[in-house]
Amino acid sequence: MGGWELLPRIVGLLAAAVAGGLLARRLGQNVIVGYLLAGLVLGPTGVGLVRPDEDVSVLSELGVALLLFSIGLEFSFARLRQLGRVAAVGGSVQLVLTTAVVFLVARVFGVAAPAALALGLAIGMSSTAVVLRELTDRAQLDSVHGRIAIAILLLQDVAVIPILILTDALGHSLEPGAMLVNVAVRSGLVVLFILAAWLLATFVLPRVLTRAALSRSRDIPVVIAACMAIGAAWGAHELGFSPSLGAFVAGIVLAASPFATQIRADVTPLGAIFVTLFFASVGTAVALPLSGWYLLTVAAVAAAVLLAKALIATLAVYVAEGSLRYALMTGLVVAAVGEFTFVIGATAHRSGILPTPLYQGILAVALITLIVSPAIIGAAPAWATLLLRRLPRSARAAVAPTQSKDWRRVLVIGFGPAGRAVVDALRTADLPFAVLETNPTTVAENRLQLPIELGDATQPEVLQHAGVGAAIAVVVTVPDPTACRLIVGAVQELAPGVPILARSRYHQYAADLRRAGADRIVDEEETVGIQLAREVMALSPPRVAAL
């Protein structure tokens, strides 16, 4: 099919996804739910206007590659170490137990061992995209159960690398020896890919990105970010493994770069188009027979998956964290399956492990769990409280909140002379802080001494990643009046309750900053005038006294 013949179908699918997303938001649901339903309506299950084919599949796979590239940029080994026991124990127990339970149940129903293992690994994954968006929208990303959920998701994201290697290898040979060789070869290719990505990120990209940032052009960094994400996906495909895995690995490698925050913000708008196409095309890939019994069976299996995953995750978090309240909330948050489920399922299907009926079944179950996931995440705190009230009094000792590290800090935007003065004062007062700065040279010079990141704070994605919702206060020190007003407005929208202190370089812009949402404004002209008056008074006190 030629490109021009494909375009109307892509435009139609995107338009339907937009309509579905708007309807979902109007009903208080995540837009991803609308995308999935739009694909379901247009696909073979619905009116049959759009059928999945190789061309749409390539575009949707590119979409999930960009999504996973962004997720990889969220990951850092330092962050995982900071989460400690919750990630290592809770995440591992959740993934292993879920895989084992699904494997055993599938074997009881006569599913072959490789297919049962692929099903277990796929269903064990949760949706990073949906959970992150829902927790952010509900201002729960920095809550205790939100941080625990992110810890589990981070471990799952890391685990997907060996999972995809194993899934792909299972389809090439069922002989244990040959399979081990296949796994070893593919693991070696991944290691080489990671090494190449690390060399590129360490010795080449910093120079390119520094020049791009210094050019003050908004176009060049976006193109570079897209080249990195799409190039990583293409490189992985050429090496014979999942493009999504390649993009994810590249994101992880770049996560340690001071440019990670800005790269994420640059690639997000481009990725939004392809991610929309991905979730919509997932809907078109589901072919549900118009049979009442089949639909009831799929719904029952989806309910069983949600319940089993919630219980297993609750147990895992309780073992790691010791608080039943937070364990229940986290279990509900990560109960649904996620985007990696589709990637693992598609890999297993292409490798011949999953027959088409099983593959269609897992797609349908995943679709249902994702559709109900936003509602479950929103209701998690209330449901946990309700469940705990029904426990005997003697069992409530486990409910006491655990003492978690307070991650709240002052967010300083801009690290010029004014920003440095603010940071010096915060250091003297021993207050935690983080800095956002747009100058790559400044970031590179101070990164070892300060918690400083490269990022344009006028972009909401950058502010969200910097934890604006949990900040003690936000101090905007940038001299540009327009940028300052945009930043204040963005902070006010993302974190309405966080105090905003802003710098107004000229008196005429102070009112604009106040209207944008600044709580306190330092008017430079007024401050300079007061200071000059003091200097005059100190310079010739006898003459002033005589007046």
Side-chain angles (χ1 to χ4, degrees):
M1 178 180 289
W4 290 107
E5 296 175 355
L6 178 64
L7 281 179
R9 300 173 61 214
I10 294 175
V11 172
L13 191 57
L14 286 174
V18 169
L22 289 173
L23 179 61
R25 291 304 295 172
R26 189 173 183 83
L27 297 175
Q29 298 296 311
N30 194 298
V31 291
I32 290 175
V33 173
Y35 302 158
L36 292 167
L37 289 176
L40 194 64
V41 170
L42 292 183
T45 302
V47 296
L49 291 178
V50 178
R51 295 185 177 276
D53 59 22
E54 187 175 348
D55 294 324
V56 175
S57 175
V58 169
L59 288 173
S60 64
E61 193 163 357
L62 178 59
V64 78
L66 289 172
L67 171 64
L68 299 184
F69 178 73
S70 298
I71 292 173
L73 287 169
E74 292 281 356
F75 177 85
S76 70
F77 291 101
R79 187 175 180 185
L80 190 60
R81 285 196 302 270
Q82 199 175 42
L83 295 168
R85 180 179 173 83
V86 177
V89 177
S92 300
V93 170
Q94 180 272 332
L95 188 55
V96 171
L97 279 184
T98 303
T99 302
V101 168
V102 174
F103 176 83
L104 292 174
V105 171
R107 292 291 289 151
V108 167
F109 282 92
V111 178
L117 181 58
L119 284 174
L121 293 171
I123 291 175
M125 308 302 290
S126 302
S127 177
T128 303
V130 173
V131 171
L132 274 175
R133 183 169 294 184
E134 282 297 310
L135 290 176
T136 301
D137 290 348
R138 300 175 189 277
Q140 295 176 0
L141 192 60
D142 288 288
S143 64
V144 175
H145 75 280
R147 292 200 295 267
I148 297 172
I150 297 304
I152 291 175
L153 293 171
L154 280 175
L155 187 126
Q156 289 182 0
D157 292 343
V158 176
V160 81
I161 298 175
I163 286 174
L164 283 175
I165 293 173
L166 177 61
T167 304
D168 192 59
L170 284 172
H172 287 76
S173 174
L174 298 179
E175 294 295 329
M179 188 181 72
L180 288 175
V181 172
N182 200 324
V183 169
V185 170
R186 292 186 172 275
S187 299
L189 287 175
V190 172
V191 171
L192 289 175
F193 182 84
I194 293 174
L195 179 61
W198 178 81
L199 290 172
L200 189 66
T202 303
F203 297 105
V204 179
L205 285 178
R207 297 182 180 180
V208 176
L209 289 169
T210 298
R211 290 183 179 275
L214 290 174
S215 71
R216 300 296 181 184
S217 169
R218 288 293 303 125
D219 297 338
I220 296 176
V222 174
V223 174
I224 293 173
C227 286
M228 287 188 290
I230 298 172
W234 171 79
H237 176 74
E238 290 298 306
L239 288 174
F241 53 91
S242 170
S244 302
L245 175 60
F248 179 65
V249 168
I252 290 178
V253 171
L254 286 169
S257 164
F259 299 95
T261 299
Q262 190 61 51
I263 292 171
R264 185 186 307 104
D266 289 335
V267 81
T268 295
L270 177 65
I273 300 173
F274 290 103
V275 168
T276 302
L277 187 63
F278 167 72
F279 282 108
S281 65
V282 164
T284 65
V286 179
L288 292 174
L290 297 178
S291 163
W293 284 111
Y294 185 86
L295 295 177
L296 285 175
T297 301
V298 169
V301 172
V305 167
L306 288 168
L307 180 60
K309 286 193 68 178
L311 290 174
I312 291 170
T314 297
L315 173 64
V317 174
Y318 181 68
V319 169
E321 185 74 4
S323 168
L324 186 56
R325 177 184 297 278
Y326 296 137
L328 283 168
M329 287 192 286
T330 306
L332 291 167
V333 167
V334 301
V337 300
E339 49 279 344
F340 275 125
T341 301
F342 299 111
V343 176
I344 295 170
T347 302
H349 185 239
R350 283 195 302 266
S351 301
I353 301 171
L354 280 181
T356 299
L358 265 181
Y359 176 58
Q360 284 294 328
I362 193 174
L363 286 181
V365 168
L367 190 71
I368 293 174
T369 64
L370 278 176
I371 287 173
V372 301
S373 178
I376 294 175
I377 294 172
W383 286 2
T385 301
L386 182 63
L387 289 170
L388 289 170
R389 285 176 180 170
R390 296 182 178 273
L391 287 177
R393 187 178 297 275
S394 59
R396 296 185 185 180
V399 180
T402 54
Q403 297 298 320
S404 299
K405 181 180 177 181
D406 187 2
W407 287 6
R408 291 170 60 80
R409 57 191 183 179
V410 177
L411 181 60
V412 181
I413 299 175
F415 200 60
R420 293 175 190 272
V422 172
V423 166
D424 289 342
L426 292 172
R427 277 179 154 177
T428 302
D430 198 24
L431 287 173
F433 65 90
V435 180
L436 277 176
E437 168 59 45
T438 57
N439 189 319
T441 304
T442 302
V443 173
E445 290 174 349
N446 295 277
R447 194 160 185 257
L448 297 178
Q449 296 82 29
L450 296 173
I452 184 171
E453 288 187 355
L454 181 77
D456 180 0
T458 61
Q459 297 179 262
E461 296 86 0
V462 172
L463 289 171
Q464 287 175 346
H465 184 266
V468 67
I472 299 172
V474 176
V475 184
V476 186
T477 70
V478 296
D480 181 0
T482 302
C484 189
R485 177 174 52 80
L486 291 174
I487 293 168
V488 170
V491 173
Q492 174 65 18
E493 183 176 349
L494 294 171
V498 175
I500 306 173
L501 295 79
R503 164 191 181 182
S504 177
R505 190 168 189 181
Y506 303 106
H507 178 73
Q508 61 179 328
Y509 297 113
D512 292 340
L513 293 175
R514 193 170 288 107
R515 282 193 293 269
D519 296 288
R520 296 191 180 184
I521 299 169
V522 177
D523 187 327
E524 282 195 35
E525 290 187 321
E526 188 177 286
T527 303
V528 169
I530 293 172
Q531 185 62 36
L532 286 172
R534 288 176 180 168
E535 293 295 333
V536 169
M537 298 287 284
L539 184 62
S540 51
R543 183 174 298 179
V544 172
L547 295 175

